[in-house]
Each structure stands twice: as structure tokens, then as C-alpha cells.
Amino acid sequence: QVQLVESGGGLVQAGASLRLSCAASGRTFDTYGMGWFRQAPGKEREFVATISPGGRGTSYSDSVKGRFTISRDNAKNTAYLQMNSLKPEDTAVYYCAASLWLYSSSPSQYNYWGQGTQVTVSS
């Protein structure tokens, strides 16, 4: 069992930066690929970024590539999403997720999900 808790969301102006954190329970964090997804009202949950268990592999959606950076600190059981140059269209609830051994852009590949943190970007 893995419990994930997101933090770091908030209300910011366009062009600002935020860093989201995802704290995980347990001592097997380094066996999980981690992903960030987001969901806006009336829209499906969409892939944002993912990182491999050891942190050497990453992948991003085209909409955030060049602006967002996913990272992890396995010693702290924490994954991060650094978001720069935020746009109003980035407004959504952001979720972190964990997948045993895998890292993927598909929500169905993830076994555990956090409760989400709201990110709102004003124009």
C-alpha cells in the first residue's frame, strides 16, 4: 500500500511559477514510477509528466514541455513538479500517482493516486 499526498498548489498570476510536491509513504518509493496528471472541470484527466523509479527517465506532454520539470528525491520519498511560465489553461486539479516499476503516460497504469491539489492561474 502506498499513500500519496500532494501539496504546493495555489492561486498565481500568469507567468508565475509553482512547485508541487508529492510525499509518499513506505520504504519502496524507488520501485515506483511517478506521474503527474491534471483535470479541469468538464474535462478528462490528462497526462502531464512522468519519471522512472530511479529518476533517469522522464516524459512530458506537449502542452507543458519546456515549462514543467518533474523530479524526485528518493531519499525523501518525494516527487516534484516544477511549473514555470504558468498559463491560465494550466488551471486544474493536479494529481500525483505511483506505478510499480513502470512509468507511463496512461492513467490506467498507475496503482495509487493522491487526493489532488488545486492550481489556479489568473490572466
Side-chain angles (χ1 to χ4, degrees):
Q1 298 297 117
V2 176
Q3 291 182 324
L4 305 173
V5 180
E6 302 97 334
S7 62
L11 172 63
V12 298
Q13 293 181 319
S17 297
L18 282 173
R19 189 172 81 156
L20 306 184
S21 297
C22 177
S25 65
R27 295 196 293 148
T28 58
F29 182 69
D30 61 355
T31 69
Y32 289 89
M34 299 297 297
W36 286 97
F37 296 80
R38 65 188 183 186
Q39 188 167 25
K43 300 180 67 176
E44 294 185 348
R45 189 166 298 185
E46 66 173 337
F47 167 73
V48 175
T50 187
I51 187 166
S52 62
R56 297 173 62 185
T58 59
S59 184
Y60 300 89
S61 70
D62 289 340
S63 63
V64 307
K65 192 172 298 181
R67 298 188 297 122
F68 291 10
T69 303
I70 188 170
S71 62
R72 65 193 296 159
D73 186 340
N74 287 349
K76 296 181 178 180
N77 276 22
T78 303
Y80 305 94
L81 185 69
Q82 178 67 45
M83 305 185 294
N84 297 328
S85 301
L86 283 162
K87 305 174 180 179
E89 50 263 45
D90 295 318
T91 295
V93 176
Y94 283 71
Y95 299 89
C96 67
S99 177
L100 184 60
W101 298 115
L102 305 177
Y103 69 114
S104 172
S105 62
S106 175
S108 65
Q109 296 278 24
Y110 289 84
N111 306 103
Y112 305 100
W113 293 82
Q115 298 301 305
T117 186
Q118 177 71 47
V119 172
T120 303
V121 184
S122 63
S123 60

